[in-house]
Amino acid sequence: MAVLGTWAFSESAVDQLRSLISSGRQATDAVEEALAAAEDDPGTGRHIVGRGGFPNSAGVLECDAAIMEGGAGRFGAVAALRGVGSPVRVARSVMERSPHSLLVGEGAVGFAREQGFTVEPNEAMLTPHSTQAYQEFVEKKNQPSGHDTLGLIALDLMGNITVGVSTSGAPFKSPGRVGDSPLPGCGLYADHTVGAAAATGDGDKIMCFCPSFHVVQQMKQKGSGPGDACRDVLTDILSRVEPAKRFEIGLIAMNMKGEVGAASSAEFPYTFWKRDMVKVQTCISVPLDSHGDKPGE
C-alpha cells in the first residue's frame, strides 16, 4: 500500500487516501473520493483546483479532471467542464459509462446531467477570493502565479494502482483552453505491471512532451526506480528547451512496490505515505538543471 500527491496542499487528500486504502478500499474508489473532496472544498480553489479556482478570461470557471487505472484502456476524463463541483466523479463516469474516453465543454456538461450530476450556475462555483482576483485581472491585468494541479496516486491492498488529476487550469485562460492534466500520457499515466506517474506545472508546455507516459516507460523498459525515471525524463526535456524558454514542471511517480519519487524544474513539494510509515510525509524536490544535476552537485 502506498499513496502519493503533488504539492504540499495535497497532504489532507493523501491522508484521506491513506485512511481509505488502509481500510481496504479499492484504489480507484479511494482516488475518486479524495480528489472529489479536495475539488469541492472552496479553499482548495486558491491552489487552482475545483470550486473556488480562478475563472477563464470571460469569468467562467472551467475544470479539467481525469482518472486512469493500471489496466489497459481504463481511462476517463473531462475538460472545460462547467458547473460541477467534483469533476473527477464525472471523469470516472466517462471511464465506466461512456463509449468515449474524453468529453469536453457542453458535451461534458450534457453527459454530467444525464448521469444525474447537479450542474450549478457559475456564481456558485466561484468564491469571494476568485471573484476578486478576476476583477483585479479585468481592471489591472493582475495575474496570479502558479500552475498547480492536484495529482494523486494510490496502490491498494490488492495491488491495484490508480492515478487521478484535477485542475481549474491556468488562471484567466482563454475559454475552452485545455492543458496537459486530462490528457493520457501527458498529465497522468498508469500501467498495472509497472506503476503510475502524474505531472503538474505549465500545461501548455508539458503536453508537448508526454512526460507521464515516458516516466512509466522508463520504469518498464529500463527498470528505473520512480525517482530516477522522473529525473531522466525531466533531464531530457530540459536538454531540448532553450534556457530562456524553461518552464515549470513537476513529476511524481510510484512503482508497484510502493516506492515513490519526483523531479522538477522548480522547488516542488510532494506528499506521500506507504505501509511502514506512521503518517503522511512531505518532501521537497529541488530543481534539476539541463544535465540532471541538483544545485550544488
Side-chain angles (χ1 to χ4, degrees), residues 51 57 92 145 179 185 190 197 205-206 215 231 241 249 274:
R51 189 185 299 274
S57 61
R92 183 174 184 185
S145 60
K205 305 295 192 304
I206 290 172
V215 168
R231 285 188 289 273
V241 177
I249 175 174
K274 49 188 175 181

Side-chain angles (χ1 to χ4, degrees), residues 1-3 18 21-24 155-157 258 273-276:
M1 292 189 300
V3 295
R18 174 199 60 78
I21 67 167
S22 295
S23 67
L155 176 65
D156 66 25
L157 278 166
W273 172 89
K274 49 188 175 181
R275 188 195 297 263
D276 57 350

Side-chain angles (χ1 to χ4, degrees), residues 123-145:
E123 292 74 20
M125 297 295 296
L126 301 177
T127 61
H129 176 264
S130 59
T131 299
Q132 181 180 349
Y134 177 68
Q135 291 174 343
E136 292 177 356
F137 165 74
V138 171
E139 296 170 3
K140 305 175 184 178
K141 299 302 178 184
N142 286 356
Q143 187 79 29
S145 60

Side-chain angles (χ1 to χ4, degrees), residues 149 177-184 186-188 199-204 206-207 211:
T149 298
R177 177 266 188 186
V178 178
D180 70 300
S181 295
L183 304 181
C186 298
L188 73 170
T200 180
D202 187 339
D204 292 292
I206 290 172
M207 70 168 69

Side-chain angles (χ1 to χ4, degrees), residues 55-56 75 77 91 95 100 131 154 172 181 194 199 212 222-224 259 284:
N56 63 25
F75 171 82
M95 180 176 73
H100 310 299
T131 299
F172 319 129
S181 295
V194 186
S212 294
K222 295 187 176 182
S224 302
E259 297 169 335
I284 297 179

Side-chain angles (χ1 to χ4, degrees), residues 7-88:
W7 305 105
F9 76 87
S10 71
E11 182 177 357
S12 60
V14 167
D15 192 51
Q16 184 178 1
L17 268 182
R18 174 199 60 78
S19 177
L20 289 167
I21 67 167
S22 295
S23 67
R25 292 288 296 276
Q26 196 265 352
T28 300
D29 293 337
V31 168
E32 178 189 1
E33 190 165 328
L35 258 182
E39 290 173 324
D40 210 26
D41 179 354
T44 311
R46 293 173 180 262
H47 301 292
I48 318 183
V49 176
R51 189 185 299 274
F54 297 101
N56 63 25
S57 61
V60 179
L61 183 66
E62 295 183 327
C63 294
D64 305 334
I67 194 161
M68 188 171 193
E69 296 178 342
R74 297 289 293 168
F75 171 82
V78 291
L81 176 65
R82 301 180 177 188
V84 178
S86 299
V88 70

